[in-house]
Amino acid sequence: MLYTVLIASLAATVSADCSRDFLKSATDAYVAAQSSGKPGNFSTFTTQDVVITENNNGTSTNSSLMATPIKLDFNRSFHDTVQCATFTELIAASNPHPFVIHTRMTFSNQKATLIESIVTDAGDWLFNATGTLNLVTPEDWSPIPTEKQNTRAVIQSVGDAYFNRFGNTSVVVPWGPPCVRVEGGLAAKGNLTGDDCIQEWPSTIKMPYRRYVVDEEYGVVDIFTGFPGLDRTQGDAPMPDSHLFRVENGKIKFLHTASACVVSGCGLNGTFGGSFTRRRVPVHF
Ligand SMILES: *[C@@H]1O[C@H](CO)[C@@H](O)[C@H](O)[C@H]1NC(C)=O
Ligand SMILES: *[C@@H]1O[C@H](CO)[C@@H](O)[C@H](O)[C@H]1NC(C)=O
Ligand SMILES: *[C@@H]1O[C@H](CO)[C@@H](O)[C@H](O)[C@H]1NC(C)=O
Ligand SMILES: *[C@@H]1O[C@H](CO)[C@@H](O)[C@H](O)[C@H]1NC(C)=O
Ligand SMILES: *[C@@H]1O[C@H](CO)[C@@H](O)[C@H](O)[C@H]1NC(C)=O
Ligand SMILES: *[C@@H]1O[C@H](CO)[C@@H](O)[C@H](O)[C@H]1NC(C)=O
Ligand SMILES: *[C@@H]1O[C@H](CO)[C@@H](O)[C@H](O)[C@H]1NC(C)=O
Ligand SMILES: *[C@@H]1O[C@H](CO)[C@@H](O)[C@H](O)[C@H]1NC(C)=O
């Protein structure tokens, strides 16, 4: 009996350390901080040791975008209790300076260890915050009934298939209706045959540096990655990117991309060869 109680309380301690409620309180505070421009709203979740990056460039709480108020038209967060990580999607279309921001945070002992953001604005890949807002708002991202939830492994494998396909045309990407991806602020439509969606892709790009947030209650995997290209500050490091997937019945349902260009056209103009072999691992990966 005592043994059972001990085990139960131990389990409670472990899960309390990174419960969905804890992670939600953190993303709520992050959204409040970004909206108000007051990093202090997030300060209970940080220590001096937190690593903060924006488009792979290191910064600090008070110098980060969090210190600038941004009027948010849309925010949505997902919570990964296994990896103790979160993902937040922010759309600011009516802010004087429009932004679309994807933020991934990891936590240890209830403090953020990493806050990495892909910050996109005018000039980034297909950027149009109004377009993003119009396309994203009507989508249904409500919780998936328990009996219909895919496993974490399946959800992540669908996102991985998408990125593996960039370097291997033999990879089959499970993709169902509506067969549209929100690429920046544009709808990229594929061809739907029955329940199978075929989209167009480059096929010679290896996609490295993947960092995941998986939330099986919502069928979500977000993958932070690096498109081979030119980093603004690091010579030939990859282009900062985040792809947010909603997976239903083992297939992509929705997909939102945020890609911060570090050279004009994101280095994706024309061919995909040559310079992409000269990759370097950026500091914070
Ligand atoms: C954010 O911090 C300010 C003080 O700097 C406080 O007035 C406000 O209530 C906080 N907002 C939230 C949502 O915590
Ligand atoms: C990256 O950080 C450096 C040093 O803080 C800063 O000078 C530079 O402007 C930043 N670059 C970008 C693209 O934000
Ligand atoms: C950030 O700014 C706040 C408010 O100005 C200040 O209280 C705090 O000490 C600053 N934090 C750091 C790490 O400098
Ligand atoms: C974030 O989104 C929620 C739910 O849609 C909304 O209630 C809340 O006001 C939003 N927060 C901010 C700061 O915009
Ligand atoms: C951005 O998207 C909106 C809504 O779809 C559209 O009306 C507008 O023309 C777009 N702007 C640009 C510059 O493409
Ligand atoms: C390409 O994908 C196919 C199908 O998944 C797989 O069998 C093959 O090993 C992959 N090739 C490489 C070089 O990874
Ligand atoms: C969709 O089908 C049309 C007509 O066959 C073709 O021209 C187009 O390239 C296809 N698009 C994709 C994304 O496969
Ligand atoms: C890539 O294409 C964009 C959009 O058409 C253009 O503005 C940019 O100058 C091009 N960049 C290069 C390096 O060719």
Side-chain angles (χ1 to χ4, degrees):
M1 183 61 181
L2 181 62
Y3 181 75
T4 312
V5 170
L6 268 175
I7 297 286
S9 74
L10 190 66
T13 309
V14 169
S15 63
D17 189 40
C18 202
S19 65
R20 187 169 283 271
D21 283 349
F22 162 71
L23 292 173
K24 274 185 177 162
S25 67
T27 50
D28 283 350
Y30 166 72
V31 172
Q34 184 54 85
S35 154
S36 62
K38 295 186 195 312
N41 286 115
F42 192 67
S43 60
T44 56
F45 296 95
T46 54
T47 67
Q48 297 244 327
D49 297 333
V50 63
V51 172
I52 306 180
T53 69
E54 291 172 352
N55 298 339
N56 297 348
N57 203 11
T59 181
S60 63
T61 332
N62 283 357
S63 308
S64 72
L65 201 57
M66 230 190 283
T68 301
I70 297 179
K71 180 175 182 294
L72 301 175
D73 299 301
F74 178 95
N75 74 86
R76 184 147 57 200
S77 296
F78 298 102
H79 305 93
D80 183 334
T81 56
V82 174
Q83 296 191 89
C84 208
T86 64
F87 170 80
T88 300
E89 178 180 31
L90 302 175
I91 306 173
S94 52
N95 194 56
H97 180 151
F99 286 105
V100 173
I101 301 167
H102 285 195
T103 294
R104 175 178 177 271
M105 302 195 278
T106 61
F107 295 83
S108 178
N109 299 318
Q110 306 214 322
K111 299 291 180 192
T113 49
L114 172 67
I115 305 172
E116 56 175 338
S117 296
I118 308 298
V119 179
T120 64
D121 62 0
D124 286 322
W125 185 249
L126 300 178
F127 181 82
N128 180 342
T130 306
T132 310
L133 184 65
N134 291 349
L135 291 166
V136 163
T137 307
E139 294 174 350
D140 180 2
W141 288 65
S142 51
I144 293 176
T146 316
E147 68 278 11
K148 289 193 168 170
Q149 285 174 14
N150 288 128
T151 62
R152 295 175 61 83
V154 165
I155 294 166
Q156 182 173 323
S157 73
V158 171
D160 273 330
Y162 177 91
F163 280 117
N164 292 344
R165 170 66 181 73
F166 273 90
N168 181 350
T169 50
S170 302
V171 175
V172 175
V173 181
W175 200 325
C179 199
V180 175
R181 69 178 191 270
V182 180
E183 180 148 349
L186 273 189
K189 294 191 175 70
N191 288 332
L192 192 63
T193 308
D195 256 1
D196 290 318
C197 170
I198 305 293
Q199 294 252 358
E200 276 179 69
W201 246 287
S203 56
T204 57
I205 307 179
K206 298 286 179 205
M207 296 301 300
Y209 314 126
R210 300 180 200 179
R211 290 94 73 202
Y212 305 89
V213 175
V214 179
D215 185 338
E216 58 271 44
E217 284 191 18
Y218 289 83
V220 162
V221 57
D222 191 277
I223 304 184
F224 271 55
T225 181
F227 265 84
L230 298 178
D231 188 288
R232 289 187 182 99
T233 54
Q234 301 190 70
D236 54 5
M239 181 181 81
D241 182 276
S242 160
H243 275 51
L244 173 65
F245 300 83
R246 161 89 167 194
V247 175
E248 292 182 16
N249 302 315
K251 290 183 169 184
I252 296 173
K253 173 88 174 183
F254 303 123
L255 170 53
H256 304 166
T257 77
S259 310
C261 293
V262 289
V263 292
S264 67
C266 274
L268 290 171
N269 296 7
T271 60
F272 298 103
S275 62
F276 300 125
T277 54
R278 297 186 302 113
R279 286 198 297 267
R280 190 171 73 181
V281 182
V283 272
H284 291 301
F285 298 167

